């Protein structure tokens, strides 16, 4: 991995806008204008989009930053209000304003191509049975081994356990012990669920 030289800091962290073809907006400077800075005081900002900027070279943007004062032109009360910890949080955003948005966003408005939100929701829903009894992670894992629904009762648990023991037991497979590991997992899962409070 190549490391950018110190005189060309990483654009992601230093705000450099390369390849604009602009020269520095400071009068008399012919260096490339690769750093954005606000307009000078008294300049008319654009009304139909994002604010207009000046483009400065590295030396001139450093000089601008060293002399920049956010509070210039503010009264003492305005400075006090701007420095409050919750300053800016009082105004509603469009999505939450009373009449500013047609409707709040719905879950259907969000894309979930990796099923990250849906999988988390299903996992959370699977952690509680319909009767309100919570399922531990070990309970859910054991139910998966047995192929049972989270809302299965003790009778369904015994029935499924019997089916799988007959299926995997060497005595039912002509002495074939290749499925012995699966049998052990079934037995362990049944023992876990049998003593679980969710199936009491």
């Amino acid at each position: 991995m190549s490391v950018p030289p110190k005189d060309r800091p990483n654009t992601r962290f230093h705000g450099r806008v390369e390849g604009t073809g602009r020269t520095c907006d400071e009068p008399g400077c012919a260096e490339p204008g690769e750093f954005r800075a606000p307009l000078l005081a008294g300049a008319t900002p654009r009304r139909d989009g994002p604010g207009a900027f000046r483009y400065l070279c590295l030396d001139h943007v450093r000089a601008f930053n060293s002399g920049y004062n956010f509070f210039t032109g503010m009264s003492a009360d305005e400075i006090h209000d701007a420095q409050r910890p919750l300053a800016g949080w009082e105004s509603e955003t469009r999505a939450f304003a009373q009449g500013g948005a047609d409707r709040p966003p719905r879950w259907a408005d969000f894309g979930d191509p990796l099923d990250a939100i849906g999988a988390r929701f299903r996992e959370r829903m699977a952690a509680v049975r319909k009767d309100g009894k919570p399922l531990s992670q070990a309970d859910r894992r054991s139910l998966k081994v047995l192929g049972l629904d989270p809302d299965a009762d003790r009778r369904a648990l015994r029935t499924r356990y019997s089916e799988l023991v007959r299926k995997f037991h060497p005595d039912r497979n002509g002495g074939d012990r290749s499925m012995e590991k699966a049998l052990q997992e079934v037995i362990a899962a049944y023992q876990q669920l049998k003593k679980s409070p969710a199936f009491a």
Side-chain angles (χ1 to χ4, degrees):
M1 183 174 99
S2 63
V3 178
K6 288 199 171 191
D7 62 333
R8 303 293 289 176
N10 189 313
T11 59
R12 180 176 173 193
F13 299 108
H14 296 274
R16 187 186 296 273
V17 182
E18 294 180 323
T20 62
R22 297 171 176 263
T23 56
C24 180
D25 287 333
E26 195 68 22
C29 182
E31 294 292 316
E34 298 177 320
F35 296 89
R36 295 192 316 178
L39 292 171
L40 291 169
T44 307
R46 289 169 31 194
R47 294 175 177 253
D48 61 343
F53 292 94
R54 292 182 298 148
Y55 284 81
L56 303 176
C57 67
L58 182 59
D59 289 336
H60 283 120
V61 83
R62 281 178 175 160
F64 170 80
N65 287 341
S66 67
Y68 181 75
N69 184 351
F70 176 79
F71 301 108
T72 299
M74 290 187 181
S75 68
D77 289 338
E78 290 171 333
I79 292 172
H80 179 267
D81 287 343
Q83 290 179 326
R84 287 183 305 107
L86 300 179
W89 289 94
E90 298 91 348
S91 57
E92 292 179 314
T93 60
R94 181 179 177 277
F96 296 101
Q98 292 295 323
D102 298 330
R103 60 173 176 77
R106 300 170 303 182
W107 280 112
D109 295 338
F110 297 93
D112 190 15
L114 300 177
D115 195 33
I117 299 170
R120 181 97 183 255
F121 174 75
R122 286 192 297 277
E123 182 181 332
R124 183 170 290 179
M125 293 307 293
V128 179
R129 291 162 48 92
K130 287 181 183 173
D131 58 13
K133 294 179 180 178
L135 292 166
S136 69
Q137 191 170 2
D139 291 340
R140 294 198 303 273
R141 193 167 41 246
S142 297
L143 285 167
K144 190 173 181 181
V145 168
L146 298 179
L148 285 172
D149 186 82
D151 296 305
D153 57 13
R154 285 184 74 87
R155 182 175 178 180
L157 189 63
R158 282 192 303 270
T159 303
R160 183 65 175 156
Y161 171 68
S162 297
E163 289 172 2
L164 292 175
V165 166
R166 285 195 299 271
K167 178 179 177 182
F168 296 133
H169 201 284
D171 292 349
R172 293 284 187 139
N173 294 291
D176 180 8
R177 301 177 77 88
S178 63
M179 291 183 280
E180 200 168 60
K181 185 179 179 198
L183 176 62
Q184 290 171 354
E185 288 177 355
V186 166
I187 293 169
Y190 177 70
Q191 294 299 328
Q192 160 67 32
L193 294 171
K194 192 169 71 165
K195 66 185 181 185
S196 169
F199 292 91

